[in-house]
Amino acid sequence: MASLPLMSLLSFFIICTTLSSATTIKVSLSPFTHHSSSNAYQILSNLATSSVARAHHLKHHNPNPKSNANTNISSSLLKTPLFPHSYGAYTISLSFGTPPQALTFIMDTGSSLSWFPCTSRYLCSHCAFPNVDPAKIPTFSPKLSSSNKLVGCRNPKCTWLFGPNVESRCQDCEPTAKICNQTCPAYLIQYGSGSTGGLLLLENLVFSHKTFPDFLVGCSILSSRQPAGIAGFGRSAESLPSQLGLKKFSYCLVSRRFDATGISSNMLLETGSGSRDAKTPGLSYTPFYKIQATSNPVFKDYYYVTLRKILVGDQNVKVPYSFLVPGSDGNGGTIVDSGSTFTFMERPVFELVSKELEKQMGNYSRALEVENLSGLAPCFNMSGYKSIQVPELTFHFKGAKMALPLTNYFSFEGDKEVVCLKVVTDNVVGQGSHSGPAIVLGSFQQQDYHIEFDLANNKFGFAKKRCA
């Protein structure tokens, strides 16, 4: 249904558009909020379903090959506010263009292309979330910027998204021609429960004291279930970290209860060389696992970490090795994904964890009705108890241990007499196959942690912290 409107709008866009000492970029992270009166169980069910759909997308995603690119940018440290939203995402504000136009972007470590809603004809289907009017989503206006350029079909940055063979799709360019005016093909990107499509631009990315020219960004004209743009923090060439030459980036996700809030925390982006062995005091580190995927190159774009074991209380649930360590085909292993709300585990892993939880919480009855309403399981009825005993959930990574706070994996629902595990598996939207990462560490489990992606030293750091 969207292909014809997309191409007509893209045509309209093409016709109407003319085309060393360390410092920090700091941006704010914030939650994208539903109205506080929304049905709590319906919100949970939607988040559980979207978390599983997101996991399926990450596990089965199969884009075109991508090339690598090097950037030479002077050292700087940037900061931007990060806000939580009730539909599960955290957002930052970024400014593009000359003069700058500020827009909201979902911070996503599981994808790489950054894009914004673009032109006055932007359309977003199924985007009528609480507090979101699809007709009033802020958009970028290319005609108001003097620095935007459409990406040419022979521009090396076009290959970042479409692979080295993209020139075979440039039929309007003669092989011997020195100049080719044909644009890079339109993109269409899936995000599990949503999608977006548009054209690639080169535009200025503007911070308060630093501007990055010719940043590759998507001008999306049609989207589905995407009420804001995406800031891609993945590992491929078109990602924000790659284009800015980031040495590291870090964030602290404020605790959210899926209601309206104006509380935010800061996200730090550090560029340049600096001290390659510098560690942030108080953080525990585990190395990123270097995936050698052959059947699906996209798995190299994810942030894999080496998970050695999962403990429920003091009991090791004995997850099979094939789920803990990715094979040469990219299947198995654990990735860190801010774009997923609840942590996802493949069914064999989830069953080991949930059965051990049920065993250790055998004194409490199951709340099956709440499980059906919320899409979460197991849930336990706590009515009549003045205190409860819940075993600790701990992820043992190589060289580091993450013992989750109780509120990061169990919380009260509805009338506050039921607690549910905030981890999902394939039972929400059907069975999946053992493909891609077996575990996806979502943002709910990262709440109130200082999280650091040290790209220069290829390691992942974390420490408990009050983030607000």
Side-chain angles (χ1 to χ4, degrees):
M1 179 186 71
S3 58
L4 289 177
L6 172 62
M7 293 314 298
S8 62
L9 284 172
L10 293 181
S11 299
F12 171 86
F13 174 73
I14 294 172
I15 294 171
C16 295
T17 303
T18 55
L19 299 175
S20 272
S21 61
T23 56
T24 303
I25 299 176
K26 184 185 294 184
V27 292
S28 293
L29 283 165
S30 66
F32 208 96
T33 56
H34 280 302
H35 193 274
S36 58
S37 63
S38 297
N39 182 278
Y41 290 137
Q42 186 60 53
I43 292 175
L44 289 172
S45 180
N46 291 342
L47 291 172
T49 301
S50 64
S51 295
V52 177
R54 167 76 172 192
H56 281 219
H57 163 71
L58 294 172
K59 291 158 66 63
H60 301 286
H61 188 39
N62 188 23
N64 292 317
K66 298 179 177 68
S67 62
N68 295 320
N70 296 318
T71 55
N72 295 311
I73 301 175
S74 59
S75 174
S76 66
L77 186 60
L78 312 171
K79 181 169 68 173
T80 183
L82 184 66
F83 291 87
H85 295 274
S86 65
Y87 71 73
Y90 288 78
T91 62
I92 60 176
S93 178
L94 297 174
S95 296
F96 284 89
T98 307
Q101 301 175 43
L103 295 167
T104 296
F105 296 79
I106 294 170
M107 188 271 295
D108 184 11
T109 63
S111 67
S112 289
L113 179 69
S114 297
W115 62 268
F116 40 55
C118 195
T119 80
S120 61
R121 295 197 176 191
Y122 178 74
L123 296 176
C124 192
S125 64
H126 302 95
C127 287
F129 298 101
N131 288 346
V132 177
D133 183 349
K136 296 181 180 179
I137 294 175
T139 64
F140 181 83
S141 179
K143 67 181 181 181
L144 297 181
S145 173
S146 62
S147 52
N148 81 84
K149 300 183 287 287
L150 285 166
V151 178
C153 201
R154 288 186 174 175
N155 189 310
K157 292 184 179 181
C158 183
T159 68
W160 291 356
L161 217 63
F162 296 100
N165 296 323
V166 66
E167 286 195 22
S168 64
R169 300 168 63 177
C170 304
Q171 290 88 355
D172 294 344
C173 296
E174 293 294 332
T176 58
K178 294 183 178 180
I179 299 177
C180 176
N181 294 323
Q182 186 176 350
T183 59
C184 191
Y187 62 83
L188 179 63
I189 300 175
Q190 300 289 335
Y191 292 102
S193 60
S195 61
T196 192
L199 292 172
L200 295 174
L201 296 180
L202 298 178
E203 185 54 283
N204 288 349
L205 172 56
V206 183
F207 294 94
S208 58
H209 62 280
K210 190 172 184 65
T211 296
F212 296 86
D214 291 337
F215 184 94
L216 183 73
V217 63
C219 166
S220 283
I221 300 174
L222 284 177
S223 296
S224 173
R225 300 187 62 82
Q226 295 295 320
I230 299 286
F233 277 81
R235 308 197 77 169
S236 60
E238 71 270 21
S239 73
L240 189 147
S242 294
Q243 292 195 68
L244 269 57
L246 295 187
K247 173 191 173 184
K248 65 174 66 172
F249 65 91
S250 61
Y251 54 75
C252 196
L253 303 182
V254 298
S255 181
R256 61 161 176 258
R257 293 297 173 262
F258 309 118
D259 54 8
T261 177
I263 300 173
S264 68
S265 57
N266 285 319
M267 182 174 192
L268 302 179
L269 316 175
E270 183 176 341
T271 68
S273 55
S275 175
R276 291 192 58 83
D277 297 324
K279 294 183 178 180
T280 302
L283 264 61
S284 299
Y285 287 94
T286 184
F288 286 123
Y289 187 91
K290 187 175 182 181
I291 187 72
Q292 300 292 336
T294 55
S295 62
N296 198 335
V298 72
F299 295 151
K300 293 183 179 180
D301 297 339
Y302 300 154
Y303 293 100
Y304 279 87
V305 288
T306 302
L307 181 63
R308 291 280 174 82
K309 56 185 176 179
I310 301 174
L311 268 64
V312 176
D314 58 358
Q315 294 297 310
N316 181 4
V317 297
K318 297 182 179 179
V319 178
Y321 182 84
S322 62
F323 293 100
L324 293 176
V325 179
S328 59
D329 55 2
N331 297 332
T334 300
I335 67 171
V336 183
D337 178 35
S338 67
S340 296
T341 303
F342 301 134
T343 289
F344 170 89
M345 297 178 179
E346 280 200 9
R347 177 171 289 278
V349 181
F350 178 85
E351 288 182 347
L352 289 169
V353 172
S354 62
K355 286 181 180 178
E356 185 59 38
L357 278 168
E358 292 176 49
K359 177 181 177 182
Q360 296 187 33
M361 297 182 68
N363 293 334
Y364 310 109
S365 61
R366 290 282 290 274
L368 299 179
E369 183 179 358
V370 173
E371 291 180 7
N372 292 331
L373 290 171
S374 67
L376 298 170
C379 296
F380 300 94
N381 192 328
M382 299 297 169
S383 60
Y385 290 92
K386 293 183 178 180
S387 63
I388 60 175
Q389 298 292 325
V390 179
E392 190 172 54
L393 180 62
T394 304
F395 295 115
H396 275 259
F397 300 103
K398 180 179 180 180
K401 180 177 71 172
M402 179 181 279
L404 294 176
L406 179 61
T407 53
N408 281 27
Y409 62 99
F410 259 118
S411 61
F412 283 97
E413 310 302 342
D415 56 8
K416 305 299 182 184
E417 294 185 342
V418 173
V419 293
C420 294
L421 176 65
K422 294 296 198 305
V423 176
V424 296
T425 190
D426 296 290
N427 65 333
V428 179
V429 293
Q431 297 291 331
S433 60
H434 182 32
S435 173
I439 300 172
V440 180
L441 184 64
S443 62
F444 194 87
Q445 280 62 47
Q446 299 176 49
Q447 293 177 103
D448 281 328
Y449 272 90
H450 179 172
I451 301 290
E452 180 181 281
F453 291 71
D454 187 340
L455 307 180
N457 298 296
N458 202 40
K459 60 185 180 181
F460 176 70
F462 57 87
K464 291 179 183 178
K465 181 181 179 180
R466 293 295 296 173
C467 295

